[in-house]
Amino acid sequence: MSASFREHIVKIMEITQTEKAADILQTSRKTIALTGAGVSTESGIPDFRSAGGLWSRYDPYEYGTIHAFKRDPEKVWQMLAELMKIADAKPNAGHRVMARLEEKGLLKGVITQNIDMLHQKAGSHNVVEFHGAVKTLTCLSCGKQYPNTFVTPENMPPRCMDCESIIKPDVVFFDEQIPNDSLFGAEELMADADVILVAGTSCQVAPASYIPQRLYEQGGRIIELNLEPALEAIASVTLAGGFSEQMEKLERQLH
Ligand SMILES: [Zn+2]
């Protein structure tokens, strides 16, 4: 087979996968999405778990647990200061396509493992933040809440104005439970959903990992969009490639 012929075949197969995904979206009863770190890398946020990511520089056991925060909040804020910079990131084209799908009624909501608020910034309304977000901070001593703009390089680590305790961003640490609101929100989205678009996550980490599996078991279909597909065994369609590129391709197939 000549190289150009092979390229041609690969192109046709790609179109077919995209067309198939578009068809599923347009004929589904209720489509939801599950997103992870891979949808934010094009916005300049490296996957925390990747080489060079946050957890390659900060030991998650020493910096990523509520236990560590309570023991030594000043130390954990060395990591958090970096984490909070995510609040300045801008959504990418893929986030914007997702928001438009919601606007068109083709997507009922997004469950995200990301804490960067990029789906909302792009215009998505129904977003369940499984792991919290860098939007607000709370004083663990008195419960007073602060907006992320309260944190500046000059007031590190930021302290509560009422009780002087060091405050904590409302993100879920490794040893913390998923907030009840998020669990209920995810349950509500999953109920009677028949299609899930899984993007930018290999679904290795519980409890978000059980979501596509459960939908599959209740007879739902999975559209996987990943740079390195991981769900081929249960996915009806696999869109292998970058988030924005694949989302834009998918949008072009809709009529
Ligand atoms: Zn306080």
Side-chain angles (χ1 to χ4, degrees), residues 58 90 95 183 202 211:
Y58 297 97
K90 305 270 185 296
H95 289 110
L183 286 177
S202 55
I211 293 173

Side-chain angles (χ1 to χ4, degrees), residues 127-198:
V127 182
V128 174
E129 290 165 320
F130 230 55
H131 296 152
V134 290
K135 190 180 181 185
T136 52
L137 301 94
T138 301
C139 171
L140 298 184
S141 301
C142 75
K144 189 176 168 75
Q145 210 178 43
Y146 295 85
N148 59 20
T149 48
F150 180 74
V151 182
T152 64
E154 290 76 41
N155 68 355
M156 284 297 163
R159 287 178 184 275
C160 178
M161 297 199 314
D162 286 355
C163 76
E164 292 283 300
S165 298
I166 295 176
I167 60 176
K168 173 193 165 288
D170 294 326
V171 297
V172 177
F173 280 144
F174 286 113
D175 53 347
E176 284 187 293
Q177 299 287 328
I178 303 294
N180 274 338
D181 283 0
S182 305
L183 286 177
F184 291 139
E187 281 298 328
E188 217 178 304
L189 274 179
M190 277 192 286
D192 67 9
D194 59 344
V195 174
I196 186 163
L197 172 64
V198 178

Side-chain angles (χ1 to χ4, degrees), residues 57-168:
R57 282 170 287 126
Y58 297 97
D59 181 341
Y61 295 99
E62 274 184 57
Y63 291 88
T65 65
I66 191 67
H67 189 74
F69 183 86
K70 284 178 177 165
R71 194 177 51 218
D72 193 348
E74 285 196 33
K75 177 180 164 178
V76 172
W77 260 99
Q78 293 167 22
M79 178 277 291
L80 290 175
E82 204 172 316
L83 187 83
M84 292 304 287
K85 289 182 190 155
I86 288 174
D88 300 327
K90 305 270 185 296
N92 59 54
H95 289 110
R96 287 191 288 273
V97 174
M98 263 198 189
R100 287 196 290 273
L101 291 182
E102 185 184 341
E103 206 175 296
K104 287 176 186 151
L106 294 173
L107 187 64
K108 292 295 181 282
V110 183
I111 302 167
T112 187
Q113 300 167 79
N114 301 336
I115 57 172
D116 52 34
M117 306 178 291
L118 293 184
H119 286 297
Q120 292 95 327
K121 284 184 184 173
S124 287
H125 295 287
N126 198 5
V127 182
V128 174
E129 290 165 320
F130 230 55
H131 296 152
V134 290
K135 190 180 181 185
T136 52
L137 301 94
T138 301
C139 171
L140 298 184
S141 301
C142 75
K144 189 176 168 75
Q145 210 178 43
Y146 295 85
N148 59 20
T149 48
F150 180 74
V151 182
T152 64
E154 290 76 41
N155 68 355
M156 284 297 163
R159 287 178 184 275
C160 178
M161 297 199 314
D162 286 355
C163 76
E164 292 283 300
S165 298
I166 295 176
I167 60 176
K168 173 193 165 288

Side-chain angles (χ1 to χ4, degrees), residues 43-54:
S43 292
I45 303 172
D47 186 340
F48 294 169
R49 293 167 192 281
S50 68
L54 204 62

